[in-house]
Amino acid sequence: MAKTPAELYRERTRRVEDAIQLKVPDRVPLVVSFGLFPAKYAGITCQDAYYDSEKWGAAVKKTLLDFKPDMYHGSAIVSGAVLGHLGCTQVKWPGDGVSPHHTHQFVEGEYMKADEYDAFFEDPSDWVVRTYMPRIYKNLGPLKSLPRLSSMVFGYGQAMQVGALAAPDVAGALDALVKAGLAARDWQAAHNSLHKEIIELGFPLVSGPSTNAPFDMVTDYLRGMRGTMLDMYRQPEKLIKACEMLLPLLIERGVSGARRSGNPRVFIPTHRGSDGFMSLKQFEIFYWPTFKKLMMAFIDEGLTPCPFLEGDWTQRLEILLELPKGKVLGHFDRTDMKRAKEVLVGHMCIRGNVPSSLLQTRSPQEVIDYCKQLIDVVGKGGGFIMAPGCVVDEAKPENIRAMIDFTKEYGVYH
Amino acid sequence: MTDNLVDAIADLKEEEALRIVKSKLDSGEPPAKILEASRKALEIVGARFAKCEYFIPDLVYSGEILKEISELVKPKLKGATQLEHLGKCVIGTVAGDIHDIGKDIVAFMLDANGFEVVDLGVDVPARKFVEKIQEVNPQVVGLSGFLTLAFDSMKETVEAIRAAGLRDKVKIMVGGGQIDDEVRKYAGADAYRPDAVAAVLLAKEWVRRA
Ligand code: B12
């Protein structure tokens, strides 16, 4: 008799959780970060994915039901309507700045200037509302002219300050905020119900909550790559202080997300701490301390940090041994998986790393050959989850199928 | 004293390097000599990067120091003191991809190592590569891409270069983000390199052989 979705849900959860806890599951579990693949596979445009949550939801469900991975790794798609209402300039998205057939793309920049650390430290919320938001959302430009936010806290005597909110241009910005907010609520509601449906179809979500390593928050969204790298030389104390200041906010984001979703696995994409981006010594000074504290805070809360260790971490594997056994799921991209297994065996479950180039440009047989290697070497004794190394936006469907079907057949442990 | 400047830059001692440059300029040293020293220093930086002693932050910082030096030197540079070029390279991020951080580092390193670099920017259609190649006759073409969507654009760009009858006239290298040797094969380019320093070494080798 066919298993019910609820049975499949339990079986799949168990399979993945066993692997994370370093027990030997029934077979090698398998998850895919599909990104925008579902749009291409189901024949809608990427632009549809950013504007029409119904079409997108149908595409995701079709993809899951046709390929049947063990879990759904959510695609982080931000509503095009929300970005449009805000006039977001930090990203270009299909329909506004990039082709309707491609993913959204980030616009690198120094969104916090080298001399703005102190303003940020002194009053972060004020800096974010009056400096940062006007900078990245062109329709919120007028928020610049608001009085300092804390000036409103002195009781009824300050009530007259609200006049600033009705200045015509500020009122326009507030109107944009309300429109964006309404669009965001619709979008969120649609995506929440999609996630519920996916669960009802029998697919657990890999992660509910997500957060970032503190250093990455600074380098991605505040100082930019160039800015952060210069800060490492010119004002290292401030860079470290910013990471420390962001740490509690990023812990809170993960913990509250886990509470809201009931999902204990916290997704943490990691960006500019990998090999090449800095020396091991710099990593130990700038990146690792707050990243480790972040993960330890989740473990203390009974949650499972799931860092996506993007790029190449081959030179940094040993440091991961500082994390407790069986409590973390590490997703590798371009790391040498054989080395990763040697170093982390019996310590940390690893996920990865079928290359995007293989999935996109080679044949199913070549994909199978690669997967066989992974299962034989990295899958040995459990503690391994088969997955692509990267978000597979433009992979060939037949190659994804080959990876999945082969793993289900060949990856059986007992 | 020149060695001092070379070391200061190569060791990423920003203040010291700038101080030396200022005092050299004040004492009337020819600006071309200072630029010569900068280039030498950058070669050392490149070599340290290749040995994994230096990483991207060090490249970025050395680039910043060099920029500051050239600002100081520029006003004193009268016309024809241009350094001789090793060769020409046309570079850009391929169609559909708007990322420039990786490409910019490669362009900067090629430039600082003595190449004349024509940077076409981001989201560059194949046609634009072809036109520029016809116009400036480079020995080297660099295609950068960040996302997997660049794989097909790279292939289309190489095909367009071939269709225009230019394939034998240029060497094409690819790199950036998710690009690897499989993508190089897929696109029909001549070589893949994983970082900016390797790209420079390869370009130098190509122009030497040409
Ligand atoms: C930092 C980062 C981000 C930052 C912003 C980066 C930016 N400015 O755009 C943020 C957090 C905003 C981000 C967002 C997203 N990202 Co991102 N990101 C990264 C990350 C970790 C590093 C990229 C980086 O900063 N590179 C720095 C530059 C300097 O490196 P580089 O371009 O490779 O260049 C070097 C070499 O390659 C070489 N080189 C470059 N060009 C050339 C050219 C030639 C000719 C040669 C020889 C050499 C060469 O020289 C350079 C210096 O040595 C990568 C993974 C990784 N480690 O590469 C993922 C990655 C690019 N991101 C990815 C994804 C999926 C996304 C998102 C879609 C996620 C989402 N759902 O929201 C978004 C939007 C896409 C985007 N990036 O625009 C995927 C791409 C997947 C795909 N299908 O292509 C990656 C590969 C991660 C992964 N493994 O899945 N990202």
Side-chain angles (χ1 to χ4, degrees), chain A residues 102-103 105 108 225-226 229-230 233-234 272 276-279 333-334 356-357 360-362 390 394, chain B residues 12 14 55-58 61 64 68 96-99 101 148-149 151 177-180 182-183 186:
Chain A
H102 290 154
T103 177
Q105 297 183 40
E108 175 83 15
M225 183 177 84
R226 176 178 163 280
M229 289 177 170
L230 296 179
Y233 291 96
R234 289 178 177 163
R272 293 191 178 132
F277 277 111
M278 53 176 80
S279 69
D333 173 9
R334 291 181 153 203
S356 55
S357 57
Q360 195 170 330
T361 72
R362 312 299 294 193
C390 157
E394 16 268 325
Chain B
L12 306 175
E14 182 178 15
F55 298 86
I56 300 181
D58 313 287
Y61 193 36
E64 197 65 17
E68 290 171 316
D97 197 321
I98 63 164
H99 293 89
I101 46 177
T148 52
L149 60 86
F151 298 1
Q178 283 291 304
I179 309 307
D180 61 13
E182 290 301 331
V183 180
Y186 177 71

Side-chain angles (χ1 to χ4, degrees), chain A residues 169-223:
Chain A
D169 56 344
V170 175
L174 295 182
D175 189 45
L177 265 176
V178 170
K179 285 195 181 116
L182 290 172
R185 289 174 71 89
D186 286 350
W187 186 261
Q188 206 51 56
H191 277 242
N192 288 346
S193 74
L194 172 64
H195 289 168
K196 224 173 118 223
E197 280 181 75
I198 288 172
I199 287 168
E200 280 159 9
L201 289 172
F203 298 98
L205 268 61
V206 179
S207 299
S210 85
T211 191
N212 292 90
F215 182 90
D216 290 325
M217 280 310 274
V218 182
T219 181
D220 291 343
Y221 301 112
L222 296 174
R223 295 283 296 124

Side-chain angles (χ1 to χ4, degrees), chain A residues 43-354:
Chain A
I44 63 171
T45 63
C46 290
Q47 187 169 343
D48 288 333
Y50 289 79
Y51 285 93
D52 187 333
S53 32
E54 215 159 289
K55 277 191 187 167
W56 169 246
V60 169
K61 283 181 279 180
K62 178 176 169 53
T63 305
L64 290 174
L65 289 170
D66 286 2
F67 290 94
K68 298 192 180 59
D70 283 315
M71 287 194 176
Y72 172 57
H73 188 116
S75 308
I77 292 176
V78 180
S79 148
V82 172
L83 295 171
H85 286 308
L86 296 172
C88 183
T89 54
Q90 201 182 41
V91 73
K92 295 188 180 184
W93 64 98
D96 201 329
V98 302
S99 139
H101 305 290
H102 290 154
T103 177
H104 67 281
Q105 297 183 40
F106 189 71
V107 180
E108 175 83 15
E110 242 178 270
Y111 294 103
M112 181 169 102
K113 310 265 184 278
D115 59 5
E116 286 180 330
Y117 275 107
D118 289 334
F120 176 62
F121 293 149
E122 207 183 298
D123 194 345
S125 306
D126 184 68
W127 183 81
V128 166
V129 172
R130 295 197 305 145
T131 304
Y132 187 68
M133 287 172 59
R135 206 170 265 164
I136 67 170
Y137 302 125
K138 67 174 182 282
N139 298 343
L140 303 187
L143 297 185
K144 270 193 285 226
S145 59
L146 286 179
R148 189 168 173 163
L149 300 186
S150 54
S151 72
M152 303 203 179
V153 300
F154 303 107
Y156 82 94
Q158 297 302 315
M160 297 306 284
Q161 293 258 26
V162 295
L165 301 176
D169 56 344
V170 175
L174 295 182
D175 189 45
L177 265 176
V178 170
K179 285 195 181 116
L182 290 172
R185 289 174 71 89
D186 286 350
W187 186 261
Q188 206 51 56
H191 277 242
N192 288 346
S193 74
L194 172 64
H195 289 168
K196 224 173 118 223
E197 280 181 75
I198 288 172
I199 287 168
E200 280 159 9
L201 289 172
F203 298 98
L205 268 61
V206 179
S207 299
S210 85
T211 191
N212 292 90
F215 182 90
D216 290 325
M217 280 310 274
V218 182
T219 181
D220 291 343
Y221 301 112
L222 296 174
R223 295 283 296 124
M225 183 177 84
R226 176 178 163 280
T228 320
M229 289 177 170
L230 296 179
D231 292 346
M232 285 163 71
Y233 291 96
R234 289 178 177 163
Q235 38 184 358
E237 301 82 13
K238 290 194 176 172
L239 174 54
I240 291 171
K241 185 170 166 193
C243 294
E244 284 167 353
M245 198 170 115
L246 288 165
L247 176 64
L249 303 175
L250 294 165
I251 292 174
E252 167 58 23
R253 217 172 84 194
V255 172
S256 65
R259 230 171 260 143
R260 241 188 345 266
S261 63
N263 185 321
R265 295 174 293 269
V266 189
F267 181 54
I268 316 170
T270 69
H271 292 137
R272 293 191 178 132
S274 60
D275 294 357
F277 277 111
M278 53 176 80
S279 69
L280 198 54
K281 200 171 136 222
Q282 287 163 332
F283 178 81
E284 283 168 356
I285 295 170
F286 294 103
Y287 198 99
W288 181 243
T290 45
F291 180 36
K292 180 178 172 184
K293 280 184 197 152
L294 178 81
M295 290 191 281
M296 292 309 295
F298 294 141
I299 293 169
D300 289 344
E301 289 279 336
L303 306 176
T304 307
C306 302
F308 180 14
L309 304 162
E310 302 183 32
D312 190 344
W313 281 65
T314 310
Q315 292 165 28
R316 295 166 168 30
L317 292 167
E318 280 78 7
I319 207 162
L320 298 172
L321 294 170
E322 290 178 20
L323 300 168
K325 270 187 202 174
K327 301 282 185 198
V328 179
L329 168 59
H331 179 185
F332 290 105
D333 173 9
R334 291 181 153 203
T335 296
D336 177 342
M337 291 295 273
K338 194 165 158 260
R339 266 285 288 151
K341 181 75 176 187
E342 279 163 18
V343 175
L344 298 170
V345 65
H347 203 95
M348 188 171 117
C349 176
I350 59 187
R351 164 180 167 186
N353 80 340
V354 188

